[in-house]
Amino acid sequence: MREIRNIAIIAHVDHGKTTLVDKISRQANLFRENEVVEECFLDNNDLERERGITILSKNISITYRNVKINLIDTPGHSDFGGQVERVLKLADGVLLLVDAAEGPMPQTRFVLEKALALHLRPVVVINKLDKPDARPLEIQNKVFDLFCELDASDEQLDFPTLFASGRDGWAVRSLDDKRESFTPLLDAMVDMVPPPPHREGPVQLQIATLDYSTFVGRIGIGRVYRGTLDLKKPLSIIKRDGKVMPATVKQLFTFEGLGRQETSQVECGDLCAVVGITDIDISDTICDAEHPEAMPAIAIDEPTLSMLFRINDSPFFGREGKYVSSRQLRERLFNETERDVALRVEAVSGDSFKVSGRGVLHLAILIETMRREGYEFSVGKPQVICKEIDGVQHEPVERLTVDVPNEFAGKIIEMVGLRRGELIQMESRGNRQVLDFYIPTRGLIGFRSKALTVSQGEAIVNHLFSHYAPFKGAIPGRINGVMVSMAGGKALPFAIDGLQQRGEFFIEPGVDAYEGMIVGEHCKEGDLVVNVQRAKQLTNLRAAGSDRNMKIAPARKMSLEQALEYIEDDELVEVTPQNIRLRKILLTELERRRQHVREMSQEDR
């Protein structure tokens, strides 16, 4: 029987997981000598490459010292923590990567806590020693303190530590060792991580993650925990609710190198992909038909934010999108829940859907993916999902870490205080401060962009769900109102030039606008209805080029996340394959005034 090691690589975002897997693969000769391969080849999704983050966990395997090592690259961003929780069930050990300058961060704590709870054997890698501000020995002590805080067992506390530079392609057991290759790291993986226990008996395989193919449908990826999975033997599937059904597996794949290799048998302890079961889901158990026995269900943390997705009903409806109807939107959203179990979709009405996820980035990635596929729709303001515990309304609270230069620390503390946050820890690191807070999740909506503005782009913001706490009171929203277009047509330079003192514009001259579309930010409180289509009146005494010389400031361009964080309850983000626009839910000024009167009369009652 071939020896196996199942190892998940876990870390905070941007601590070098994918780069490390990249370099290990090259040293393990997974590529031909003349093969041209991009950096971080595992991040093969367009959005992953653009943003420089891992969104989906991926499996590869390498062979070292005649041992098959299944490596699982996991996302580092907290919004995709649902992926990490599931794939840890596939592993027997974890490679915990920690940045040699930043040290343990919020997501480091989260993933390590999950790994220790599953009794996985850790190997700590202090990465990025090529950084000029690296402090490996100090970080090693911080990692040990974190293990103690998380109540690690004596065996887990006896973890091996390696020092590495993923970018330069070396790892060492001691800082004085020769820095040549990843051989010490591969040795540690084989020697320190235990092989999967070999359990005899009727087969048991649990699905921990899903893949999807337009050709074969759902693909379940899991691990054989007992016995040997054989295609020739009759099998059953036990659903999460305990229902037992016969199962026909058409194809079986194991992970070899960067791809999958078809096989008819998978031994106990190995990872595999199962094709042919149409409604296969996370936590399902595939077992022997004569001895159906379910495995404990995989627990998934609940979503903390929700958004309303609805069809686009603006005057520009159907101009740019390929898929615009509510039926197509419904189908796409419910298909996404088959791949992403951390996502919830609930039909609110015929053309509106409540979509819940782990955070703004989690939902923004879904929106961005859909618009690139040709979908056109609109989304509302992110809303926090509250719980009622013992008759008291509780809201999600996050642990926020802000790394900021000393001179801006006071402004950040003041800003978090206004958002009902509380400072719990403050650490000085050279000419920078690392501030730790507890802050309500709703206080984080729009926080990152304001923190970057206040700190002149220097702040590094990270946050992670911590716990639920009683509702902390109102948080002040956006102070400034918006400028709303009063008519449809192209925005003209003359009109924009005349309105520049009223606020900052989001659109440039020549852009099509419609009634109810948000075209800029007002310089005062309250919304302002403006005419951006107003042209210069020409007479035989007044030429087109005379009068004042127009100097139009560049428009403020918002990313999708910034737009979602900017809008208020009465506004929407219109998403099309070519544009992201802001608009009012009620497009005409008359409708908005009537709505305001109705709200005032309800308050008086």
Side-chain angles (χ1 to χ4, degrees), residues 508-520:
E508 293 167 338
V511 170
D512 269 330
Y514 54 80
E515 185 180 5
M517 179 173 155
I518 295 171
V519 294

Side-chain angles (χ1 to χ4, degrees), residues 532-599:
V532 289
Q533 291 83 16
R534 186 168 67 95
K536 179 190 278 190
Q537 299 301 311
L538 304 180
T539 68
N540 58 349
L541 298 175
R542 196 161 145 210
S546 64
D547 274 359
R548 66 178 185 269
N549 193 14
M550 288 186 286
K551 291 181 181 176
I552 296 173
R556 191 212 296 185
K557 299 292 182 185
M558 287 192 192
S559 68
L560 178 59
E561 285 102 291
Q562 288 170 332
L564 292 172
E565 291 173 345
Y566 182 81
I567 58 173
E568 288 295 330
D569 292 332
D570 64 336
E571 295 162 1
L572 295 172
V573 177
E574 181 186 340
V575 179
T576 73
Q578 294 172 30
N579 289 292
I580 293 169
R581 303 184 187 95
L582 306 184
R583 53 162 283 194
K584 290 289 183 181
I585 293 176
L586 301 173
L587 295 175
T588 66
E589 189 183 2
L590 182 62
E591 285 177 323
R592 292 195 294 273
R593 284 184 176 175
R594 281 176 179 164
Q595 178 69 17
H596 181 67
V597 169
R598 279 196 293 268
E599 286 172 359

Side-chain angles (χ1 to χ4, degrees), residues 118-370:
L118 292 167
H119 309 292
L120 303 181
R121 189 69 195 273
V123 174
V124 174
V125 179
I126 295 174
N127 193 26
K128 300 196 179 184
L129 254 74
D130 50 303
K131 277 189 170 182
D133 56 344
R135 44 197 185 115
L137 297 177
E138 192 180 331
I139 298 302
Q140 188 179 10
N141 292 333
K142 285 181 175 290
V143 172
F144 186 81
D145 293 343
L146 179 61
F147 270 78
C148 294
E149 271 182 57
L150 297 175
D151 296 327
S153 66
D154 292 343
E155 189 183 14
Q156 288 170 330
L157 281 170
D158 190 23
F159 57 84
T161 304
L162 288 97
F163 304 94
S165 169
R167 193 180 66 176
D168 296 341
W170 57 264
V172 291
R173 291 298 295 268
S174 166
L175 289 170
D176 301 325
D177 292 350
K178 204 169 181 183
R179 302 174 176 186
E180 292 176 331
S181 69
F182 279 125
T183 304
L185 177 57
L186 294 168
D187 285 331
M189 284 196 259
V190 172
D191 298 334
M192 301 297 177
V193 175
H198 186 69
R199 298 188 179 97
E200 296 288 348
V203 67
Q204 265 189 325
L205 175 145
Q206 189 169 39
I207 302 301
T209 185
L210 295 175
D211 198 357
Y212 188 80
S213 163
T214 50
F215 300 105
V216 296
R218 276 191 175 191
I219 302 169
I221 298 171
R223 170 176 160 177
V224 180
Y225 288 91
R226 189 176 70 192
T228 301
L229 184 63
D230 193 336
L231 284 182
K232 295 171 187 172
K233 294 183 179 176
L235 299 168
S236 291
I237 184 166
I238 305 175
K239 306 297 287 179
R240 184 185 275 268
D241 59 5
K243 192 177 176 184
V244 182
M245 296 183 292
T248 305
V249 177
K250 292 177 181 173
Q251 286 177 297
L252 198 56
F253 295 90
T254 55
F255 297 94
E256 294 291 338
L258 304 176
R260 297 172 186 171
Q261 184 176 330
E262 192 167 355
T263 183
S264 60
Q265 281 189 341
V266 180
E267 295 173 341
C268 181
D270 205 354
L271 310 185
C272 64
V274 176
V275 175
I277 303 173
T278 51
D279 58 346
I280 197 165
D281 210 343
I282 302 293
S283 213
D284 287 356
T285 305
I286 295 174
C287 52
D288 189 77
E290 295 177 8
H291 303 88
E293 188 182 339
M295 294 193 66
I298 298 173
I300 308 279
D301 282 359
E302 291 296 309
T304 57
L305 274 181
S306 69
M307 270 188 223
L308 199 66
F309 282 52
R310 45 184 278 177
I311 59 166
N312 183 21
D313 57 359
S314 81
F316 291 172
F317 165 79
R319 277 196 191 182
E320 300 167 9
K322 186 178 172 186
Y323 308 109
V324 296
S325 70
S326 59
R327 179 186 59 79
Q328 289 164 331
L329 183 62
R330 167 192 285 273
E331 196 176 294
R332 178 64 181 84
L333 290 173
F334 280 101
N335 273 347
E336 189 63 29
T337 60
E338 297 190 352
R339 309 179 199 195
D340 188 353
V341 292
L343 198 75
R344 305 274 189 278
V345 177
E346 179 188 337
V348 177
S349 65
D351 57 3
S352 301
F353 305 91
K354 182 182 174 186
V355 181
S356 307
R358 287 290 186 89
V360 172
L361 182 65
H362 184 197
L363 296 172
I365 292 288
L366 169 63
I367 294 166
E368 184 65 36
T369 306
M370 287 174 65

Side-chain angles (χ1 to χ4, degrees), residues 68-136:
K68 179 183 179 182
I69 303 173
N70 286 315
L71 284 175
I72 308 160
D73 182 27
T74 63
H77 198 285
S78 58
D79 281 17
F80 307 107
Q83 294 262 346
V84 185
E85 292 167 48
R86 299 195 309 276
V87 299
L88 286 179
K89 291 280 286 183
L90 302 173
D92 297 296
V94 289
L95 218 59
L96 177 70
L97 257 69
V98 183
D99 190 294
E102 293 181 2
M105 297 293 276
Q107 183 73 0
T108 315
R109 170 184 291 271
F110 169 77
V111 291
L112 180 59
E113 187 174 15
K114 298 285 182 187
L116 295 177
L118 292 167
H119 309 292
L120 303 181
R121 189 69 195 273
V123 174
V124 174
V125 179
I126 295 174
N127 193 26
K128 300 196 179 184
L129 254 74
D130 50 303
K131 277 189 170 182
D133 56 344
R135 44 197 185 115

Side-chain angles (χ1 to χ4, degrees), residues 18-78:
T18 307
T19 304
L20 189 80
V21 175
D22 189 11
K23 296 291 184 182
I24 289 174
S25 305
R26 291 169 195 273
Q27 288 193 16
N29 299 321
L30 292 187
F31 307 108
R32 299 189 314 273
E33 284 186 20
N34 64 342
E35 192 170 351
V36 178
V37 184
E38 292 179 309
E39 289 292 314
C40 297
F41 64 89
L42 279 183
D43 285 348
N44 48 18
N45 181 313
D46 286 346
L47 280 172
E48 289 180 321
R49 298 203 74 82
E50 284 170 25
R51 293 167 182 262
I53 59 172
T54 302
I55 295 170
L56 303 168
S57 64
K58 301 165 191 83
N59 301 34
I60 68 163
S61 80
I62 59 173
T63 301
Y64 178 72
R65 282 171 34 187
N66 211 24
V67 175
K68 179 183 179 182
I69 303 173
N70 286 315
L71 284 175
I72 308 160
D73 182 27
T74 63
H77 198 285
S78 58

Side-chain angles (χ1 to χ4, degrees), residues 374-445:
Y375 285 85
E376 183 180 307
F377 54 98
S378 54
V379 291
K381 183 183 177 180
Q383 303 288 343
V384 169
I385 300 170
C386 294
K387 279 184 179 179
E388 195 168 299
I389 302 172
D390 299 329
V392 179
Q393 188 82 337
H394 281 60
E395 65 176 338
V397 173
E398 311 229 358
R399 183 167 178 142
L400 169 70
T401 302
V402 185
D403 185 345
V404 71
N406 291 334
E407 61 266 31
F408 303 120
K411 290 180 180 177
I412 295 292
I413 292 170
E414 182 186 351
M415 208 162 79
V416 175
L418 288 171
R419 292 164 176 257
R420 306 286 176 178
E422 54 184 273
L423 182 67
I424 53 173
Q425 193 175 324
M426 190 171 179
E427 182 190 339
S428 186
R429 192 182 292 167
N431 62 348
R432 296 179 74 89
Q433 295 282 347
V434 180
L435 311 168
D436 276 344
F437 304 90
Y438 280 133
I439 183 170
T441 300
R442 61 199 165 96
L444 284 170
I445 297 172

